């Protein structure tokens, strides 16, 4: 297990390597590797595990019984998932978590928090609050991305957010075309067609996951 990756994470902010090693032991940390496309959690499962991505990435998805897929989040190296379910172990998961690429996940048992002293536990929970707050902000952002009625409005809402986060009009996004379509809740063919139109209209340039915003205009939703 790569301690350096954990040391740079939000959860262990303020802890030294010795304390992190002790925490990993106290929280019964285990690491497991997954192949691309492999399911990590399925909807309906119950878990007490806080999950940390040490390599690769995973998608948090909503998959209904009719085969419709919506990507809610892409979780990359150094990020966490399932934190809310880990703290509410009697609540079934409403999402699936799938390996977006070959990845490694560290599982931390939150039921073992009771084994920590009050000082360590308080510091850890404070860091966990930061993680959940950031996750809530991300989910709020997605509601803005999917709110416009027109596909173009959804694309530009998403690209605008990434541009602001990157402080640049030229950037890479974390999704491939299918993942972006699933995230914006549109058909891939419709997404590709609209991206082509936007390039012809001089709004953007794009190649694979690299985008450049050329013109900023008012786009009715």
């Amino acid at each position: 297990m790569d301690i350096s990756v954990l040391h740079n994470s939000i959860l262990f902010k303020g802890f030294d390597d010795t304390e992190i090693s002790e925490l990993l032991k106290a929280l019964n940390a285990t690491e497991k590797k997954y192949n691309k496309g492999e399911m990590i959690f399925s909807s309906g499962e119950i878990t007490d595990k806080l999950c940390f991505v040490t390599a690769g990435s995973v998608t948090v998805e909503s998959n209904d019984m009719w085969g419709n897929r919506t990507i809610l989040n892409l979780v990359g190296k150094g990020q966490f998932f399932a934190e809310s379910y880990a703290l509410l172990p009697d609540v079934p998961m409403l999402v699936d978590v799938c390996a977006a690429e070959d990845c490694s996940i560290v599982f931390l048992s939150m039921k073992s928090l009771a084994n920590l002293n009050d000082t360590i536990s308080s510091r850890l929970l404070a860091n966990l609050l930061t993680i959940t707050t950031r996750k809530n902000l991300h989910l709020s952002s997605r509601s803005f991305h999917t709110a416009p009625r027109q596909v173009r409005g959804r694309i530009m809402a998403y690209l605008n957010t990434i541009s602001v986060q990157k402080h640049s009009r030229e950037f890479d996004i974390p999704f491939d075309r299918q993942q972006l379509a699933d995230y914006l809740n549109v058909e891939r063919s419709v997404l590709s067609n609209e991206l082509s139109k936007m390039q012809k209209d001089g709004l953007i340039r794009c190649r694979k996951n690299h985008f450049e915003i050329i013109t900023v205009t008012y786009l009715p939703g």
Side-chain angles (χ1 to χ4, degrees), residues 82-143:
E83 64 281 349
S84 296
Y85 293 107
L87 295 174
L88 298 169
D90 58 333
V91 177
M93 298 183 72
L94 300 178
V95 296
D96 298 322
V97 182
C98 182
E101 56 186 317
D102 293 350
C103 61
S104 295
I105 310 297
V106 170
F107 297 88
L108 305 170
S109 175
M110 289 296 98
K111 70 180 180 181
S112 300
L113 279 174
N115 299 331
L116 304 176
N117 66 57
D118 291 342
T119 301
I120 294 294
S121 179
S122 295
R123 290 164 60 193
L124 196 68
L125 286 173
N127 290 344
L128 186 56
L129 178 61
T130 299
I131 292 171
T132 55
T133 301
R134 290 189 178 186
K135 190 68 66 70
N136 287 337
L137 286 175
H138 173 82
L139 292 175
S140 296
S141 295
R142 186 179 182 277
S143 68

Side-chain angles (χ1 to χ4, degrees), residues 3-10 12 20 78:
I3 295 293
S4 64
V5 178
L6 296 170
H7 184 80
N8 294 323
S9 71
I10 298 173
F12 295 111
I20 292 175

Side-chain angles (χ1 to χ4, degrees), residues 61-78:
E61 310 173 356
S62 173
N63 295 291
D64 64 27
M65 296 181 181
W66 297 272
N68 299 308
R69 177 197 191 209
T70 301
I71 292 181
L72 304 175
N73 197 11
L74 179 72
V75 184
K77 180 180 177 179

Side-chain angles (χ1 to χ4, degrees), residues 30-62:
T30 57
E31 186 172 25
K32 185 176 179 180
K33 298 182 184 298
Y34 293 87
N35 296 321
K36 180 179 179 180
E38 193 172 354
M39 197 67 72
I40 299 168
F41 287 120
S42 296
S43 176
E45 285 190 51
I46 291 177
T47 184
D48 68 340
K49 301 295 191 300
L50 171 64
C51 306
F52 179 71
V53 182
T54 55
S57 60
V58 306
T59 52
V60 180
E61 310 173 356
S62 173

